[in-house]
Amino acid sequence: MANTYKIAVLPGDGIGPDVIEQGIKVLKAITEKFGHKFKFTYGLIGGIAVDEKGVPLPEETIELAKNSDAVFLGAVGDWKYDTLDPAIRPEKGLLGIRKELELFANLRPAMMYDELVSSSTLKEEYVKGVDIMIVRELTGDVYFGEPKGIQERNGQKVGFNNMIYWEYEIERIAKLAFAIAMKRSKKLCSVDKANVLDVSRLWREVVERVAKNYPEVELSHMYVDNAAMQLIRNPKQFDVMVTGNIFGDILSDEASMLIGSLGMLASASLTDKGPAMYEPSHGSAPDLKGLNKVNPIATIMSAAMMLKYSFNLDNEAEAVENAVKQVLKDGYRTFDIMSEGKTLVGTSQMGDLIAENIFC
Ligand code: IPM
Ligand code: MG
């Protein structure tokens, strides 16, 4: 009998529900073509959870996620919550679930499709063939470090966060990055700010130590400011990059522009225990909510990552990737990747087209 995979679906805010709907369409097409069973159970996270339950990450959502085989998340946040107490801002829901599930490794593949070369704001010769895997640490760093806050001292307000990494946190993300590098071109670039930050000096020391177990991998280190520049100057020098939470947040947005649009950047957040989570790297874009304009490909490709990493359904993941390629080849584009002579489609049509192009 076919396995039933339990998927917790957390659409969230803004365009989250719009793109998640397309991801579900594609997963349903996988069900029909390959005969797997997916059981989708919906839950609340972010602003909508604040509206309905008073908190951005209700207990039942945590329970649902923990009792599922994978979590499929849209996006959180809306300007209307900007004035909320920071403790219940929608973003807390996302950070909270990452922490609850211990999703320490965030994989963000920046892969340029040949069909989209002209959508990048950069010159073709630099971006054609770009294929970078950003491995971002996701449960440490200034995102979670204590102490933090805004206080009043000597009649002045002072704001502070703590950039902190424990050895075990660096070690586990480094091991995963090396393992990924082994499966790709055996090149790993670790990004830090070791010329200034103590936390980065420890980062580098631990990465070097882990490297001893992966003698085949060519390891390099780069300061984050230089990495930001090199990503634009010559992106093809990179294959796998590993970095901390905040640097990874910034560099992955930058990398998305190499491949044409933030709407193309999928992500998988992995752990060594329990379910993993899959979400597009973009935010909730509340101004575009419900307008049928945004690009669902990042979400659909995140679903493909779920098939691959959580369910070991490699052929099915490939079927999704091929469907995306085919639709782009056929000339269909959402507005963010639109170029002359192509056919403009909305979010929902893009989802339909990709679902229709799923084949065994
Ligand atoms: C991301 C987002 C989040 C982050 C925000 C929404 C909290 O920017 O997933 O990259 O900073 O991690
Ligand atoms: Mg970000």
Side-chain angles (χ1 to χ4, degrees), residues 98 101-107 133 135-139 172-173 176 180 267-278 305-306 308-310:
R98 288 174 179 171
L101 301 179
E102 235 184 296
L103 305 171
F104 67 86
N106 185 223
L107 274 45
M133 178 62 91
V135 181
R136 166 190 177 194
E137 200 289 330
L138 202 60
T139 48
R172 66 184 178 180
I173 191 76
L176 192 107
I180 292 172
S267 97
S269 302
L270 309 179
T271 172
D272 47 11
K273 49 183 83 94
M277 188 165 88
Y278 301 85
M305 293 183 89
M306 179 193 303
K308 182 172 165 176
Y309 291 101
S310 281

Side-chain angles (χ1 to χ4, degrees), residues 10 28 50 59-60 115 128 142 169-170 184 189 195 212 232 269 290 327:
L10 311 178
K28 284 189 173 154
V50 176
E59 262 319 306
E60 51 263 48
E115 289 75 18
K128 192 166 192 280
V142 281
E169 293 178 307
I170 306 168
R184 293 175 50 113
C189 178
N195 52 343
K212 296 207 170 76
I232 303 292
S269 302
V327 170

Side-chain angles (χ1 to χ4, degrees), residues 12 80 83 101 103 123 133-134 150 214 220 231-232 248 330 336 354 360:
K80 75 177 195 199
T83 51
L101 301 179
L103 305 171
K123 287 189 196 135
M133 178 62 91
I134 296 184
I150 301 176
Y214 300 87
S220 59
L231 261 178
I232 303 292
D330 292 343
D336 57 318
I354 295 171
C360 266

Side-chain angles (χ1 to χ4, degrees), residues 108 136 143 248-250 252-253 281:
R108 297 188 162 181
R136 166 190 177 194
Y143 273 72
D249 180 42
I250 298 165
S252 59
D253 266 31
S281 302

Side-chain angles (χ1 to χ4, degrees), residues 34-35 67 85 91 137-138 151 183 185-186 290 301 325:
F34 289 83
N67 291 315
D85 168 1
E91 289 78 4
E137 200 289 330
L138 202 60
Q151 288 180 354
K183 289 196 191 152
S185 70
K186 300 188 176 164
M301 291 303 289
K325 274 186 209 147

Side-chain angles (χ1 to χ4, degrees), residues 237-282:
Q237 69 185 287
F238 297 108
D239 187 54
V240 183
M241 300 176 90
V242 63
T243 190
N245 205 345
I246 188 81
F247 298 157
D249 180 42
I250 298 165
L251 292 179
S252 59
D253 266 31
E254 186 188 358
S256 77
M257 286 319 291
L258 300 173
I259 60 164
S261 164
L262 190 50
M264 297 296 298
L265 197 67
S267 97
S269 302
L270 309 179
T271 172
D272 47 11
K273 49 183 83 94
M277 188 165 88
Y278 301 85
E279 54 167 316
S281 302
H282 59 71

Side-chain angles (χ1 to χ4, degrees), residues 8-24 42-46 48 71-77 94 97-98 108 265-267 277-285 295-296 298-300 302 306:
V9 185
L10 311 178
D13 307 317
I15 57 163
D18 306 354
V19 289
I20 282 289
E21 197 185 320
Q22 313 315 315
I24 301 284
Y42 284 73
L44 296 170
I45 196 164
I48 180 149
V71 182
F72 194 29
L73 184 136
V76 299
L94 181 56
I97 198 158
R98 288 174 179 171
R108 297 188 162 181
L265 197 67
S267 97
M277 188 165 88
Y278 301 85
E279 54 167 316
S281 302
H282 59 71
S284 56
N295 187 347
T299 309
I300 290 168
S302 302
M306 179 193 303

